[in-house]
Amino acid sequence: MTIHLPQGPYTPRATPLDLAPGAAAPTSRTVFSAAHVVADPYADISPDDPAAVDWESTLAFRRHLWAHGLGVAEAMDTAQRGMGLDWAGAAELIRRSAAEAKAVGGRIACGVGSDQLPAGGTPTLAEVTAAYEEQLALAEENGVQPILMASRALVRAARGPEDYLATYAHLLRQASEPVILHWLGPMFDPALEGYWGSADLDEATDTFLKVIAEHPDKVDGIKISLLDAAREIDVRRRLPGGVRCYTGDDFNYPELIAGDERGFSHALLGIFDPLGPLAAHAVRVLDTGDVDGFRALLDPTVELSRHLFRPPTRFYKTGVVFLAWLSGHQDHFTMVGGLQSARSLPHLAKAYELADGLGLFPDPDLAEHRMRSLLTVHGGAR
């Protein structure tokens, strides 16, 4: 039956992709999905209050990802870190997810930053370092691999590249196991403009690579989220041996994961939240050496990803949670911090159309019913 979307009439797909859970984890690439959190819709709070999280639904979604062979990147940008989820909430999320991962044998890494510091003012480097140390200790106490996230506070505290080098050197010396370094671009978080001590990306890249070159034994890999495939490939080729590149490029991930004769990227992606089962299946195809088959599966998903991550890119989380609701992973379309209002109805309707066309919804009838209910709330159902 036709559904009338803001962009025009659309006939939903009748059958979903057949992607049952229970398959083994991919072997040729390490693949993490940065996972979203599920809000508690019945909590009587305001957007300025600490997040109220539906813990059971949040952990159930992680079990879904693990069941399809993916790793979970916890308490990252996709979990609304710093956009509705404060450090106290992130710490509880890490503890709960770490316990769940241990119970089911799932792979997990978690974001470590400095977001317990006040948002305003200019902290000292010592305060930023101490904040990082507190979060690093929590990750290690819970047995999860740390991902050293880019720090808004460090941008305010640092005078230049030398302060980044000193801060990261101190943290890497303290880490008991190799970590993942994360470079999140300003399109994801405007407060991170000029990270690594320069707004010039060539200069910033040199500083980033210097941190790694001075401590290669403490760096498992790097995650680059700059939406610039050429720069990621250049950095990937300049890494010391044994240091992995985890793509965070939600625009160009198929080609970066497939790689070329000089290397490839692993994956740590927010788009692998809604694409989880399909992404894991595609990489298992790549495990067999079938690059064309891998690209045939993932290339058609790029239009959806580019739509969800279009500017202002930082609001991509709204589309991710919306698709989780349509897919039946949660019973409501409510987000911490009220972020469900951050994208327009036409944007969400296009996301529905693209995701349905890919066969992503396990129950297309449920997705259609929920899309119609959203249209009704907006006064536009037919």
Side-chain angles (χ1 to χ4, degrees), residues 245-294:
C245 179
Y246 294 90
T247 187
D249 189 331
D250 300 278
F251 283 6
N252 304 292
Y253 50 93
E255 66 185 84
L256 291 164
I257 296 170
D260 55 31
E261 69 282 355
R262 295 179 60 183
F264 57 82
S265 294
H266 300 269
L268 200 166
L269 287 159
I271 192 57
F272 281 7
D273 180 303
L275 293 184
L278 177 56
H281 172 62
V283 179
R284 283 190 289 269
V285 170
L286 186 60
D287 291 344
T288 69
D290 184 0
V291 177
D292 290 342
F294 165 80

mmCIF file of all heavy atoms in Angstrom, residues 245-294:
data_model
loop_
_atom_site.group_PDB
_atom_site.id
_atom_site.type_symbol
_atom_site.label_atom_id
_atom_site.label_comp_id
_atom_site.label_asym_id
_atom_site.label_seq_id
_atom_site.Cartn_x
_atom_site.Cartn_y
_atom_site.Cartn_z
ATOM 1 N N CYS A 245 44.422 1.424 11.056
ATOM 2 C CA CYS A 245 43.560 2.565 10.785
ATOM 3 C C CYS A 245 42.119 2.071 10.812
ATOM 4 O O CYS A 245 41.751 1.150 10.077
ATOM 5 C CB CYS A 245 43.880 3.167 9.420
ATOM 6 S SG CYS A 245 42.832 4.576 9.003
ATOM 7 N N TYR A 246 41.303 2.667 11.698
ATOM 8 C CA TYR A 246 39.875 2.369 11.766
ATOM 9 C C TYR A 246 39.135 3.532 11.107
ATOM 10 O O TYR A 246 39.158 4.645 11.625
ATOM 11 C CB TYR A 246 39.407 2.250 13.216
ATOM 12 C CG TYR A 246 39.976 1.083 13.983
ATOM 13 C CD1 TYR A 246 41.166 1.207 14.701
ATOM 14 C CD2 TYR A 246 39.311 -0.141 14.005
ATOM 15 C CE1 TYR A 246 41.682 0.133 15.425
ATOM 16 C CE2 TYR A 246 39.811 -1.212 14.729
ATOM 17 C CZ TYR A 246 40.995 -1.067 15.427
ATOM 18 O OH TYR A 246 41.495 -2.125 16.141
ATOM 19 N N THR A 247 38.517 3.276 9.974
ATOM 20 C CA THR A 247 37.825 4.388 9.330
ATOM 21 C C THR A 247 36.630 4.837 10.159
ATOM 22 O O THR A 247 35.875 4.026 10.700
ATOM 23 C CB THR A 247 37.364 4.025 7.908
ATOM 24 O OG1 THR A 247 36.854 5.214 7.294
ATOM 25 C CG2 THR A 247 36.297 2.944 7.883
ATOM 26 N N GLY A 248 36.490 6.152 10.241
ATOM 27 C CA GLY A 248 35.306 6.759 10.819
ATOM 28 C C GLY A 248 34.611 7.615 9.777
ATOM 29 O O GLY A 248 33.823 8.497 10.113
ATOM 30 N N ASP A 249 34.899 7.330 8.488
ATOM 31 C CA ASP A 249 34.382 8.119 7.376
ATOM 32 C C ASP A 249 33.045 7.549 6.924
ATOM 33 O O ASP A 249 32.990 6.571 6.170
ATOM 34 C CB ASP A 249 35.394 8.106 6.227
ATOM 35 C CG ASP A 249 35.031 9.071 5.117
ATOM 36 O OD1 ASP A 249 33.826 9.338 4.923
ATOM 37 O OD2 ASP A 249 35.950 9.548 4.419
ATOM 38 N N ASP A 250 31.963 8.175 7.366
ATOM 39 C CA ASP A 250 30.621 7.684 7.059
ATOM 40 C C ASP A 250 30.161 8.060 5.656
ATOM 41 O O ASP A 250 29.028 7.765 5.279
ATOM 42 C CB ASP A 250 29.629 8.225 8.098
ATOM 43 C CG ASP A 250 29.993 7.786 9.510
ATOM 44 O OD1 ASP A 250 29.658 6.660 9.887
ATOM 45 O OD2 ASP A 250 30.643 8.582 10.217
ATOM 46 N N PHE A 251 31.049 8.683 4.879
ATOM 47 C CA PHE A 251 30.759 8.997 3.482
ATOM 48 C C PHE A 251 31.436 8.030 2.512
ATOM 49 O O PHE A 251 30.930 7.812 1.409
ATOM 50 C CB PHE A 251 31.224 10.419 3.140
ATOM 51 C CG PHE A 251 30.336 11.521 3.634
ATOM 52 C CD1 PHE A 251 29.235 11.269 4.450
ATOM 53 C CD2 PHE A 251 30.593 12.828 3.278
ATOM 54 C CE1 PHE A 251 28.418 12.289 4.903
ATOM 55 C CE2 PHE A 251 29.778 13.872 3.721
ATOM 56 C CZ PHE A 251 28.692 13.605 4.533
ATOM 57 N N ASN A 252 32.581 7.481 2.897
ATOM 58 C CA ASN A 252 33.425 6.744 1.953
ATOM 59 C C ASN A 252 33.876 5.387 2.468
ATOM 60 O O ASN A 252 34.882 4.839 2.022
ATOM 61 C CB ASN A 252 34.666 7.590 1.615
ATOM 62 C CG ASN A 252 34.311 8.963 1.079
ATOM 63 O OD1 ASN A 252 33.780 9.089 -0.011
ATOM 64 N ND2 ASN A 252 34.587 10.004 1.860
ATOM 65 N N TYR A 253 33.136 4.812 3.412
ATOM 66 C CA TYR A 253 33.590 3.600 4.088
ATOM 67 C C TYR A 253 33.752 2.375 3.186
ATOM 68 O O TYR A 253 34.697 1.594 3.406
ATOM 69 C CB TYR A 253 32.656 3.272 5.271
ATOM 70 C CG TYR A 253 31.190 3.263 4.939
ATOM 71 C CD1 TYR A 253 30.534 2.100 4.577
ATOM 72 C CD2 TYR A 253 30.450 4.446 4.986
ATOM 73 C CE1 TYR A 253 29.185 2.108 4.258
ATOM 74 C CE2 TYR A 253 29.107 4.465 4.675
ATOM 75 C CZ TYR A 253 28.474 3.293 4.304
ATOM 76 O OH TYR A 253 27.145 3.307 3.988
ATOM 77 N N PRO A 254 32.919 2.145 2.159
ATOM 78 C CA PRO A 254 33.149 0.919 1.378
ATOM 79 C C PRO A 254 34.527 0.867 0.721
ATOM 80 O O PRO A 254 35.232 -0.150 0.804
ATOM 81 C CB PRO A 254 32.024 0.945 0.331
ATOM 82 C CG PRO A 254 30.936 1.752 0.965
ATOM 83 C CD PRO A 254 31.671 2.818 1.719
ATOM 84 N N GLU A 255 34.926 1.964 0.081
ATOM 85 C CA GLU A 255 36.222 1.958 -0.595
ATOM 86 C C GLU A 255 37.383 1.915 0.398
ATOM 87 O O GLU A 255 38.416 1.286 0.134
ATOM 88 C CB GLU A 255 36.351 3.190 -1.490
ATOM 89 C CG GLU A 255 36.404 4.523 -0.745
ATOM 90 C CD GLU A 255 36.398 5.717 -1.673
ATOM 91 O OE1 GLU A 255 35.306 6.133 -2.097
ATOM 92 O OE2 GLU A 255 37.491 6.237 -1.969
ATOM 93 N N LEU A 256 37.207 2.538 1.568
ATOM 94 C CA LEU A 256 38.291 2.561 2.547
ATOM 95 C C LEU A 256 38.465 1.206 3.214
ATOM 96 O O LEU A 256 39.595 0.776 3.487
ATOM 97 C CB LEU A 256 38.015 3.649 3.590
ATOM 98 C CG LEU A 256 38.118 5.077 3.037
ATOM 99 C CD1 LEU A 256 37.473 6.075 3.988
ATOM 100 C CD2 LEU A 256 39.576 5.444 2.776
ATOM 101 N N ILE A 257 37.365 0.511 3.476
ATOM 102 C CA ILE A 257 37.462 -0.830 4.061
ATOM 103 C C ILE A 257 37.981 -1.821 3.027
ATOM 104 O O ILE A 257 38.806 -2.689 3.340
ATOM 105 C CB ILE A 257 36.093 -1.267 4.613
ATOM 106 C CG1 ILE A 257 35.662 -0.346 5.765
ATOM 107 C CG2 ILE A 257 36.143 -2.719 5.106
ATOM 108 C CD1 ILE A 257 34.219 -0.548 6.200
ATOM 109 N N ALA A 258 37.520 -1.709 1.797
ATOM 110 C CA ALA A 258 38.018 -2.600 0.744
ATOM 111 C C ALA A 258 39.516 -2.415 0.555
ATOM 112 O O ALA A 258 40.265 -3.387 0.414
ATOM 113 C CB ALA A 258 37.272 -2.324 -0.559
ATOM 114 N N GLY A 259 39.971 -1.160 0.548
ATOM 115 C CA GLY A 259 41.397 -0.876 0.462
ATOM 116 C C GLY A 259 41.941 -0.982 -0.947
ATOM 117 O O GLY A 259 41.206 -1.069 -1.936
ATOM 118 N N ASP A 260 43.260 -0.980 -1.013
ATOM 119 C CA ASP A 260 43.958 -1.065 -2.295
ATOM 120 C C ASP A 260 45.204 -1.914 -2.110
ATOM 121 O O ASP A 260 45.371 -2.575 -1.078
ATOM 122 C CB ASP A 260 44.307 0.337 -2.818
ATOM 123 C CG ASP A 260 45.109 1.168 -1.809
ATOM 124 O OD1 ASP A 260 45.885 0.574 -1.015
ATOM 125 O OD2 ASP A 260 44.967 2.402 -1.794
ATOM 126 N N GLU A 261 46.070 -1.889 -3.109
ATOM 127 C CA GLU A 261 47.270 -2.742 -3.060
ATOM 128 C C GLU A 261 48.225 -2.336 -1.946
ATOM 129 O O GLU A 261 49.128 -3.103 -1.569
ATOM 130 C CB GLU A 261 47.988 -2.706 -4.409
ATOM 131 C CG GLU A 261 48.645 -1.381 -4.776
ATOM 132 C CD GLU A 261 47.658 -0.322 -5.270
ATOM 133 O OE1 GLU A 261 46.460 -0.654 -5.424
ATOM 134 O OE2 GLU A 261 48.097 0.838 -5.486
ATOM 135 N N ARG A 262 48.013 -1.172 -1.329
ATOM 136 C CA ARG A 262 48.919 -0.693 -0.288
ATOM 137 C C ARG A 262 48.284 -0.712 1.102
ATOM 138 O O ARG A 262 48.879 -0.206 2.044
ATOM 139 C CB ARG A 262 49.392 0.721 -0.636
ATOM 140 C CG ARG A 262 50.240 0.776 -1.903
ATOM 141 C CD ARG A 262 50.668 2.181 -2.248
ATOM 142 N NE ARG A 262 51.466 2.795 -1.204
ATOM 143 C CZ ARG A 262 51.906 4.057 -1.247
ATOM 144 N NH1 ARG A 262 51.592 4.821 -2.295
ATOM 145 N NH2 ARG A 262 52.618 4.549 -0.268
ATOM 146 N N GLY A 263 47.106 -1.290 1.224
ATOM 147 C CA GLY A 263 46.519 -1.388 2.553
ATOM 148 C C GLY A 263 45.030 -1.131 2.566
ATOM 149 O O GLY A 263 44.409 -0.869 1.528
ATOM 150 N N PHE A 264 44.454 -1.191 3.753
ATOM 151 C CA PHE A 264 43.011 -1.023 3.929
ATOM 152 C C PHE A 264 42.742 -0.457 5.315
ATOM 153 O O PHE A 264 43.631 -0.411 6.169
ATOM 154 C CB PHE A 264 42.281 -2.367 3.760
ATOM 155 C CG PHE A 264 42.756 -3.445 4.706
ATOM 156 C CD1 PHE A 264 42.293 -3.512 6.016
ATOM 157 C CD2 PHE A 264 43.691 -4.389 4.288
ATOM 158 C CE1 PHE A 264 42.738 -4.497 6.884
ATOM 159 C CE2 PHE A 264 44.147 -5.379 5.162
ATOM 160 C CZ PHE A 264 43.663 -5.432 6.457
ATOM 161 N N SER A 265 41.500 -0.056 5.525
ATOM 162 C CA SER A 265 41.069 0.416 6.836
ATOM 163 C C SER A 265 40.171 -0.624 7.492
ATOM 164 O O SER A 265 39.389 -1.298 6.816
ATOM 165 C CB SER A 265 40.295 1.740 6.717
ATOM 166 O OG SER A 265 41.122 2.789 6.256
ATOM 167 N N HIS A 266 40.294 -0.738 8.809
ATOM 168 C CA HIS A 266 39.297 -1.440 9.608
ATOM 169 C C HIS A 266 38.131 -0.458 9.791
ATOM 170 O O HIS A 266 38.080 0.566 9.120
ATOM 171 C CB HIS A 266 39.914 -1.879 10.930
ATOM 172 C CG HIS A 266 41.082 -2.817 10.741
ATOM 173 N ND1 HIS A 266 40.956 -4.175 10.709
ATOM 174 C CD2 HIS A 266 42.421 -2.567 10.559
ATOM 175 C CE1 HIS A 266 42.135 -4.742 10.520
ATOM 176 N NE2 HIS A 266 43.042 -3.780 10.423
ATOM 177 N N ALA A 267 37.208 -0.731 10.675
ATOM 178 C CA ALA A 267 36.031 0.139 10.752
ATOM 179 C C ALA A 267 35.606 0.394 12.187
ATOM 180 O O ALA A 267 35.572 -0.528 13.005
ATOM 181 C CB ALA A 267 34.864 -0.480 9.977
ATOM 182 N N LEU A 268 35.263 1.647 12.472
ATOM 183 C CA LEU A 268 34.642 2.059 13.723
ATOM 184 C C LEU A 268 33.689 3.184 13.347
ATOM 185 O O LEU A 268 34.079 4.337 13.251
ATOM 186 C CB LEU A 268 35.697 2.518 14.732
ATOM 187 C CG LEU A 268 35.310 2.541 16.210
ATOM 188 C CD1 LEU A 268 36.536 2.684 17.102
ATOM 189 C CD2 LEU A 268 34.306 3.629 16.528
ATOM 190 N N LEU A 269 32.433 2.807 13.076
ATOM 191 C CA LEU A 269 31.525 3.705 12.378
ATOM 192 C C LEU A 269 30.169 3.846 13.054
ATOM 193 O O LEU A 269 29.572 2.851 13.482
ATOM 194 C CB LEU A 269 31.295 3.179 10.955
ATOM 195 C CG LEU A 269 32.464 3.336 9.975
ATOM 196 C CD1 LEU A 269 32.314 2.365 8.832
ATOM 197 C CD2 LEU A 269 32.531 4.769 9.460
ATOM 198 N N GLY A 270 29.658 5.076 13.074
ATOM 199 C CA GLY A 270 28.309 5.305 13.547
ATOM 200 C C GLY A 270 27.262 4.744 12.603
ATOM 201 O O GLY A 270 26.206 4.279 13.043
ATOM 202 N N ILE A 271 27.523 4.756 11.300
ATOM 203 C CA ILE A 271 26.543 4.233 10.347
ATOM 204 C C ILE A 271 26.372 2.727 10.495
ATOM 205 O O ILE A 271 25.351 2.163 10.072
ATOM 206 C CB ILE A 271 26.929 4.595 8.893
ATOM 207 C CG1 ILE A 271 25.768 4.313 7.933
ATOM 208 C CG2 ILE A 271 28.192 3.861 8.469
ATOM 209 C CD1 ILE A 271 24.476 5.006 8.258
ATOM 210 N N PHE A 272 27.328 2.048 11.142
ATOM 211 C CA PHE A 272 27.170 0.612 11.362
ATOM 212 C C PHE A 272 26.244 0.310 12.533
ATOM 213 O O PHE A 272 26.039 -0.849 12.871
ATOM 214 C CB PHE A 272 28.532 -0.050 11.553
ATOM 215 C CG PHE A 272 29.274 -0.302 10.256
ATOM 216 C CD1 PHE A 272 28.783 0.183 9.057
ATOM 217 C CD2 PHE A 272 30.451 -1.013 10.236
ATOM 218 C CE1 PHE A 272 29.459 -0.029 7.858
ATOM 219 C CE2 PHE A 272 31.128 -1.249 9.053
ATOM 220 C CZ PHE A 272 30.640 -0.754 7.859
ATOM 221 N N ASP A 273 25.647 1.341 13.139
ATOM 222 C CA ASP A 273 24.549 1.139 14.090
ATOM 223 C C ASP A 273 23.312 0.681 13.316
ATOM 224 O O ASP A 273 22.838 -0.442 13.516
ATOM 225 C CB ASP A 273 24.321 2.430 14.871
ATOM 226 C CG ASP A 273 23.201 2.362 15.894
ATOM 227 O OD1 ASP A 273 22.062 2.055 15.498
ATOM 228 O OD2 ASP A 273 23.436 2.664 17.078
ATOM 229 N N PRO A 274 22.779 1.465 12.370
ATOM 230 C CA PRO A 274 21.634 0.964 11.600
ATOM 231 C C PRO A 274 21.987 -0.095 10.573
ATOM 232 O O PRO A 274 21.136 -0.913 10.201
ATOM 233 C CB PRO A 274 21.085 2.229 10.926
ATOM 234 C CG PRO A 274 22.231 3.172 10.865
ATOM 235 C CD PRO A 274 23.045 2.893 12.090
ATOM 236 N N LEU A 275 23.220 -0.101 10.091
ATOM 237 C CA LEU A 275 23.629 -1.062 9.060
ATOM 238 C C LEU A 275 24.224 -2.340 9.633
ATOM 239 O O LEU A 275 24.681 -3.193 8.872
ATOM 240 C CB LEU A 275 24.677 -0.435 8.124
ATOM 241 C CG LEU A 275 24.280 0.705 7.210
ATOM 242 C CD1 LEU A 275 25.452 1.080 6.319
ATOM 243 C CD2 LEU A 275 23.066 0.355 6.373
ATOM 244 N N GLY A 276 24.221 -2.504 10.965
ATOM 245 C CA GLY A 276 24.977 -3.567 11.611
ATOM 246 C C GLY A 276 24.932 -4.931 10.941
ATOM 247 O O GLY A 276 25.970 -5.456 10.503
ATOM 248 N N PRO A 277 23.772 -5.583 10.821
ATOM 249 C CA PRO A 277 23.734 -6.919 10.220
ATOM 250 C C PRO A 277 24.249 -6.952 8.783
ATOM 251 O O PRO A 277 25.000 -7.860 8.409
ATOM 252 C CB PRO A 277 22.249 -7.282 10.292
ATOM 253 C CG PRO A 277 21.728 -6.492 11.452
ATOM 254 C CD PRO A 277 22.472 -5.186 11.389
ATOM 255 N N LEU A 278 23.851 -5.966 7.976
ATOM 256 C CA LEU A 278 24.304 -5.921 6.585
ATOM 257 C C LEU A 278 25.803 -5.671 6.502
ATOM 258 O O LEU A 278 26.512 -6.298 5.701
ATOM 259 C CB LEU A 278 23.539 -4.836 5.829
ATOM 260 C CG LEU A 278 23.948 -4.597 4.370
ATOM 261 C CD1 LEU A 278 23.860 -5.880 3.552
ATOM 262 C CD2 LEU A 278 23.090 -3.494 3.756
ATOM 263 N N ALA A 279 26.311 -4.767 7.332
ATOM 264 C CA ALA A 279 27.741 -4.470 7.322
ATOM 265 C C ALA A 279 28.560 -5.692 7.704
ATOM 266 O O ALA A 279 29.579 -6.002 7.057
ATOM 267 C CB ALA A 279 28.040 -3.317 8.281
ATOM 268 N N ALA A 280 28.141 -6.398 8.745
ATOM 269 C CA ALA A 280 28.875 -7.589 9.166
ATOM 270 C C ALA A 280 28.858 -8.649 8.072
ATOM 271 O O ALA A 280 29.885 -9.293 7.792
ATOM 272 C CB ALA A 280 28.269 -8.145 10.446
ATOM 273 N N HIS A 281 27.710 -8.836 7.426
ATOM 274 C CA HIS A 281 27.615 -9.801 6.328
ATOM 275 C C HIS A 281 28.539 -9.414 5.179
ATOM 276 O O HIS A 281 29.245 -10.262 4.610
ATOM 277 C CB HIS A 281 26.170 -9.882 5.844
ATOM 278 C CG HIS A 281 25.972 -10.700 4.612
ATOM 279 N ND1 HIS A 281 26.255 -12.050 4.565
ATOM 280 C CD2 HIS A 281 25.541 -10.354 3.359
ATOM 281 C CE1 HIS A 281 25.991 -12.513 3.343
ATOM 282 N NE2 HIS A 281 25.568 -11.500 2.605
ATOM 283 N N ALA A 282 28.560 -8.129 4.843
ATOM 284 C CA ALA A 282 29.410 -7.665 3.746
ATOM 285 C C ALA A 282 30.879 -7.921 4.032
ATOM 286 O O ALA A 282 31.635 -8.355 3.137
ATOM 287 C CB ALA A 282 29.161 -6.179 3.494
ATOM 288 N N VAL A 283 31.318 -7.666 5.266
ATOM 289 C CA VAL A 283 32.737 -7.880 5.584
ATOM 290 C C VAL A 283 33.061 -9.377 5.595
ATOM 291 O O VAL A 283 34.168 -9.775 5.235
ATOM 292 C CB VAL A 283 33.114 -7.202 6.904
ATOM 293 C CG1 VAL A 283 34.589 -7.444 7.233
ATOM 294 C CG2 VAL A 283 32.855 -5.694 6.835
ATOM 295 N N ARG A 284 32.106 -10.205 5.982
ATOM 296 C CA ARG A 284 32.351 -11.652 5.886
ATOM 297 C C ARG A 284 32.505 -12.078 4.422
ATOM 298 O O ARG A 284 33.289 -12.986 4.117
ATOM 299 C CB ARG A 284 31.232 -12.426 6.572
ATOM 300 C CG ARG A 284 31.351 -12.427 8.101
ATOM 301 C CD ARG A 284 30.382 -13.400 8.753
ATOM 302 N NE ARG A 284 29.007 -12.934 8.651
ATOM 303 C CZ ARG A 284 28.410 -12.186 9.567
ATOM 304 N NH1 ARG A 284 29.063 -11.816 10.670
ATOM 305 N NH2 ARG A 284 27.159 -11.810 9.408
ATOM 306 N N VAL A 285 31.798 -11.427 3.513
ATOM 307 C CA VAL A 285 32.012 -11.674 2.081
ATOM 308 C C VAL A 285 33.418 -11.242 1.695
ATOM 309 O O VAL A 285 34.125 -11.943 0.945
ATOM 310 C CB VAL A 285 30.940 -10.944 1.240
ATOM 311 C CG1 VAL A 285 31.288 -10.975 -0.246
ATOM 312 C CG2 VAL A 285 29.568 -11.552 1.480
ATOM 313 N N LEU A 286 33.847 -10.107 2.212
ATOM 314 C CA LEU A 286 35.204 -9.630 1.944
ATOM 315 C C LEU A 286 36.247 -10.599 2.495
ATOM 316 O O LEU A 286 37.335 -10.749 1.922
ATOM 317 C CB LEU A 286 35.380 -8.239 2.554
ATOM 318 C CG LEU A 286 36.688 -7.507 2.269
ATOM 319 C CD1 LEU A 286 36.894 -7.287 0.781
ATOM 320 C CD2 LEU A 286 36.706 -6.168 3.012
ATOM 321 N N ASP A 287 35.932 -11.262 3.598
ATOM 322 C CA ASP A 287 36.848 -12.259 4.169
ATOM 323 C C ASP A 287 37.228 -13.325 3.146
ATOM 324 O O ASP A 287 38.324 -13.908 3.208
ATOM 325 C CB ASP A 287 36.217 -12.953 5.380
ATOM 326 C CG ASP A 287 36.055 -12.048 6.595
ATOM 327 O OD1 ASP A 287 36.680 -10.975 6.630
ATOM 328 O OD2 ASP A 287 35.294 -12.426 7.507
ATOM 329 N N THR A 288 36.323 -13.626 2.219
ATOM 330 C CA THR A 288 36.575 -14.670 1.214
ATOM 331 C C THR A 288 37.412 -14.159 0.053
ATOM 332 O O THR A 288 37.734 -14.919 -0.858
ATOM 333 C CB THR A 288 35.244 -15.222 0.663
ATOM 334 O OG1 THR A 288 34.594 -14.215 -0.142
ATOM 335 C CG2 THR A 288 34.319 -15.654 1.790
ATOM 336 N N GLY A 289 37.718 -12.866 0.064
ATOM 337 C CA GLY A 289 38.461 -12.265 -1.036
ATOM 338 C C GLY A 289 37.580 -11.683 -2.127
ATOM 339 O O GLY A 289 38.086 -11.177 -3.134
ATOM 340 N N ASP A 290 36.269 -11.703 -1.918
ATOM 341 C CA ASP A 290 35.328 -11.216 -2.920
ATOM 342 C C ASP A 290 35.080 -9.718 -2.717
ATOM 343 O O ASP A 290 34.096 -9.311 -2.103
ATOM 344 C CB ASP A 290 34.021 -12.011 -2.810
ATOM 345 C CG ASP A 290 33.000 -11.639 -3.885
ATOM 346 O OD1 ASP A 290 33.308 -10.759 -4.718
ATOM 347 O OD2 ASP A 290 31.894 -12.225 -3.877
ATOM 348 N N VAL A 291 35.985 -8.910 -3.255
ATOM 349 C CA VAL A 291 35.861 -7.459 -3.101
ATOM 350 C C VAL A 291 34.637 -6.940 -3.835
ATOM 351 O O VAL A 291 33.906 -6.070 -3.327
ATOM 352 C CB VAL A 291 37.136 -6.747 -3.602
ATOM 353 C CG1 VAL A 291 36.985 -5.230 -3.522
ATOM 354 C CG2 VAL A 291 38.349 -7.201 -2.799
ATOM 355 N N ASP A 292 34.371 -7.459 -5.031
ATOM 356 C CA ASP A 292 33.217 -6.994 -5.798
ATOM 357 C C ASP A 292 31.913 -7.301 -5.056
ATOM 358 O O ASP A 292 30.988 -6.477 -5.044
ATOM 359 C CB ASP A 292 33.200 -7.654 -7.179
ATOM 360 C CG ASP A 292 34.313 -7.140 -8.081
ATOM 361 O OD1 ASP A 292 34.870 -6.062 -7.792
ATOM 362 O OD2 ASP A 292 34.634 -7.837 -9.071
ATOM 363 N N GLY A 293 31.835 -8.500 -4.453
ATOM 364 C CA GLY A 293 30.644 -8.846 -3.692
ATOM 365 C C GLY A 293 30.451 -7.946 -2.486
ATOM 366 O O GLY A 293 29.324 -7.546 -2.159
ATOM 367 N N PHE A 294 31.558 -7.628 -1.833
ATOM 368 C CA PHE A 294 31.525 -6.702 -0.691
ATOM 369 C C PHE A 294 31.009 -5.336 -1.124
ATOM 370 O O PHE A 294 30.105 -4.766 -0.500
ATOM 371 C CB PHE A 294 32.926 -6.590 -0.100
ATOM 372 C CG PHE A 294 33.124 -5.435 0.839
ATOM 373 C CD1 PHE A 294 32.685 -5.509 2.150
ATOM 374 C CD2 PHE A 294 33.771 -4.273 0.414
ATOM 375 C CE1 PHE A 294 32.868 -4.445 3.020
ATOM 376 C CE2 PHE A 294 33.970 -3.208 1.284
ATOM 377 C CZ PHE A 294 33.508 -3.297 2.589
#
